[in-house]
Amino acid sequence: MRPPPVTRPGLLGVRAARRNVFVSSLEQAQQFTEAAVGAGVATRPVQIFYALSQFGRAIAASSGLLGKGEWRLTGHGIQTRNIDASQGLARVAVTPTAKGSFPGVARALGVQPMEAQRSVSLGELWPLIPEAQKVPLPDSSGLPALYFSPGGLVYRGEDRWCRLSLSPVPQDVKVRSQVDPLSIDSFLSRYPSMSGWSHTPDSPD
């Protein structure tokens, strides 16, 4: 019996050029990542940066959402301003551009890129990295990425609720919720992905 044909992600099966970029980018990304494991803290970020860059090229090459020429990523696609660390890292401005790896990878994943030329402070972006919450950035002001764990379904008459745990909820929100349960809804409304959800205040923890 003849084995089934090998399937590849996106357009790799019909585009040799994309396949070559995909394979070579993954190889380089792996080598940079492995090199970073044994590197010191002074050089490890540089190797991780180039690893991420190559991972992005592989994602773009395999994406069926990018047309002719779009999948060949060039440039960083992101700039920084106020880079002087003496002003505080939280004040460093991050400015996306219309073209480059940063918006290209977003489009390759079907995600809306950040608005070009609209600066966002590093202090706003830092809390969005879940691992960064263990190392808080002084003067950061953004919303923290939330972890959630499901806890099953709860039936109340004809209503069905999902029980889940969200963390971390800021301490001041927890304190306010003891007096005003709607403060939880106000906090969650700032997260676009929570749109349409509501909660019942019978479990304040």
Side-chain angles (χ1 to χ4, degrees):
M1 298 178 63
R2 188 169 66 179
V6 176
T7 58
R8 299 184 177 91
L11 303 179
L12 296 183
V14 296
R15 299 285 179 86
R18 287 191 175 214
R19 181 171 63 249
N20 292 338
V21 170
F22 177 79
V23 173
S24 62
S25 295
L26 279 186
E27 175 65 24
Q28 292 183 50
Q30 180 179 355
Q31 291 186 20
F32 277 122
T33 303
E34 291 174 349
V37 173
V41 295
T43 58
R44 186 179 301 160
V46 177
Q47 293 163 324
I48 292 298
F49 167 79
Y50 282 110
L52 289 174
S53 177
Q54 293 303 318
F55 278 129
R57 293 178 190 278
I59 291 172
S62 66
S63 174
L65 300 178
L66 299 183
K68 183 178 179 181
E70 292 181 310
W71 61 273
R72 291 187 180 275
L73 303 182
T74 58
H76 297 160
I78 195 168
Q79 301 172 341
T80 56
R81 300 173 182 169
N82 303 329
I83 197 64
D84 185 1
S86 65
Q87 301 292 325
L89 287 177
R91 295 187 179 183
V92 173
V94 177
T95 307
T97 58
K99 296 181 180 181
S101 294
F102 187 67
V105 171
R107 296 187 184 98
L109 296 173
V111 178
Q112 181 69 30
M114 293 175 63
E115 183 179 344
Q117 303 305 320
R118 181 176 181 181
S119 298
V120 182
S121 72
L122 187 58
E124 295 176 273
L125 296 175
W126 190 266
L128 298 178
I129 306 173
E131 294 82 2
Q133 294 177 12
K134 299 178 182 179
V135 189
L137 187 67
D139 299 324
S140 61
S141 58
L143 290 173
L146 294 179
Y147 290 94
F148 86 94
S149 56
L153 299 177
V154 178
Y155 292 90
R156 294 175 176 167
E158 297 181 355
D159 292 334
R160 183 175 62 175
W161 293 75
C162 300
R163 185 186 301 276
L164 56 86
S165 298
L166 290 174
S167 64
V169 176
Q171 184 63 31
D172 62 316
V173 176
K174 294 181 181 180
V175 172
R176 289 200 308 270
S177 69
Q178 297 176 3
V179 179
D180 178 17
L182 293 181
S183 61
I184 296 290
D185 292 290
S186 177
F187 170 72
L188 295 179
S189 68
R190 301 167 68 186
Y191 290 86
S193 60
M194 297 297 292
S195 176
W197 289 76
S198 59
H199 92 288
T200 177
D202 62 343
S203 181
D205 293 335

